[in-house]
Structures are given as C-alpha cells and as structure tokens.
Amino acid sequence: MRPSAYVTGKEKRLNAASYGFTGRMGDAEYDHLISLQLGGDPNDPRNLWVEPADPGHKKGAGVNNKKDPVETKLHTALCSGKITLVQAQQAIATDWTTALSTLHLS
C-alpha cells in the first residue's frame, strides 16, 4: 500500500535535497526504486527516490515516467516464470534503463 501524499510530500523534498535535485518537484515522481509489483518496500526510505522527468519532457507538464512499463514487463516475466524475483529486483535496482536487456526480455 502506498503511503499518502501527506506523508510523502515532506519526504520527497528531503530526499531531493539529499542528493541535490533542483528540478521542478511537480515534474518529478517520488518513486520506488524496486516497484511494489516487484516486492519493493512501500515505506522504506532506501527504496524511495525522486525520479526526474524523462529527457524531452515538457517542463510543467507533470510526471512522465518511462520506468513504469519496464516494471510491468518485469512483473509479467516474473509471473510467467521467465525470471526470478531476485533477478527482477537486482536488474531494476542496478539500472532500470538496461533491466530488460540485461534479462534478455527486450
């Protein structure tokens, strides 16, 4: 279960400051490094990060996140037995942009 925005708003600002994120908060998503559908902890601050908007995203257009379809593809592969939970979690946590190719799913 996701924590409420009331709880995560302050956390998001503190998390962003902790690694120098200076972008527009409305265009960034306070996201789970390992998604909930891949068994990620919903409340552990080590599993949460301020994910910047994707390159080419129009400033002020709200959250745009190409990581979400990768998470869904990993979840589908996990449920069909093509990969293990550990493989999915390691791949997404290491580099979500290469997770599918690393696991030969792209």
Side-chain angles (χ1 to χ4, degrees):
M1 171 163 246
R2 285 188 182 273
S4 72
Y6 174 79
V7 171
T8 61
K10 182 178 178 182
E11 289 178 4
K12 181 179 179 180
R13 288 187 298 279
L14 291 171
N15 182 284
S18 77
Y19 63 90
F21 177 80
T22 58
R24 188 174 178 280
M25 295 300 273
D27 289 333
E29 180 180 354
Y30 195 41
D31 198 14
H32 295 92
L33 179 62
I34 299 173
S35 69
L36 303 182
Q37 65 181 326
L38 296 174
D41 189 312
N43 299 311
D44 187 336
R46 296 171 298 177
N47 192 40
L48 291 161
W49 66 302
V50 177
E51 183 178 351
D54 295 326
H57 179 66
K58 288 186 176 184
K59 188 174 182 176
V63 174
N64 177 26
N65 184 338
K66 293 180 182 172
K67 183 175 174 256
D68 291 347
V70 173
E71 295 167 346
T72 300
K73 287 179 182 178
L74 289 173
H75 181 257
T76 300
L78 172 64
C79 291
S80 67
K82 292 180 182 174
I83 60 173
T84 67
L85 180 60
V86 170
Q87 288 174 311
Q89 290 177 340
Q90 286 177 341
I92 199 84
T94 300
D95 184 348
W96 72 265
T97 65
T98 61
L100 296 176
S101 60
T102 297
L103 297 172
H104 308 288
L105 298 172
S106 54

